[in-house]
Amino acid sequence: MSRPELDRLTAALRTLDRQRPRINPGRPSTIAFPAQVLLTVLHQRLGPGFEPLAVLFATSRTTAYRTTRSTAELLNRHDTGIAPAPTPPAALRLLRARVLAFDTKAADKIKPTS
C-alpha cells in the first residue's frame, strides 16, 4: 500500500469513526488516529503479535489489541480487506530482535518468525 493510498484510507476511516455513536467514550486513545490505522494494517498484513506492535508504537499490548479491533471494525464498514502477506518479510526478524532488546520478558510473549 502506497503512502497516498494509506492517507486516503485513513481519511475515509476517520470519517466513519466520527459517525460512530459515542456512548461513554472513555479516555481518548494514546495513539493518533493515523497510527491506529497503520498499526491495524501492519497487524492484518504481516501478522505480528500485539507485543511487537505495542513496542513499535510505544503503547501497551492492551491498547494495541483494542486499536486493532476498533479499526478493523471501521475497515469492515468501509469494505476494505487487508490481505495477509504471502511470506513474512525479513523485517519481522529485525522487529522481533528490537522487541527482545527492549523487553527481556517478551521472549515468552512473541512467536519467532519462520
Side-chain angles (χ1 to χ4, degrees), residues 4-26:
E5 290 172 326
L6 182 61
D7 289 343
R8 284 192 295 275
L9 178 62
T10 300
L13 295 180
R14 185 185 305 270
T15 301
L16 288 173
D17 183 53
R18 289 182 176 153
Q19 294 171 356
R20 285 199 274 196
R22 304 282 186 201
I23 303 169
N24 298 327

Side-chain angles (χ1 to χ4, degrees), residues 88-106:
L92 287 181
R93 287 187 205 92
L94 297 173
L95 177 59
R96 183 176 191 275
R98 180 176 175 192
V99 169
L100 291 174
F102 181 77
D103 182 2
T104 57
K105 296 178 185 176

